[in-house]
Amino acid sequence: EVFIAAAGMAAALPGVVAAHTTRPVLGVPMESKLAGGLDSLLSMVQMPGGIPVGVLAVGKPGAVNAAILATQVLARSNPGFDEAVRKQREAKAAEVLAGPDPTEA
């Protein structure tokens, strides 16, 4: 239902996948030695009009968000996925609130 394609440097994979399907494609730019992933990010966001790729953050944060976003898309027809995303958000909020207050640093 949803593709997640991670790629580095020229980052062509998400665009190739998007060109061959009408399903949503989420691109995750991977970190590289050349520019820390900026090269990958810029390659993905410059897709031609009409071939969309949803691009997320570089590296692991982008991969995590791609998984959550794909689950949100799938939740439109699967209420169990919606509940899983709600629980994940509650757990993340509790984790952040349990941490130190950044205004006190």
Side-chain angles (χ1 to χ4, degrees), residues 10-11 22 29 43 45 54 60 71 89 105:
T22 58
S43 293
V45 299
K60 185 176 178 178
T71 304
R89 286 211 178 160

Side-chain angles (χ1 to χ4, degrees), residues 15 23 25 39 41 55 60 91:
R23 301 196 187 250
V25 177
D39 51 336
L41 175 69
V55 182
K60 185 176 178 178

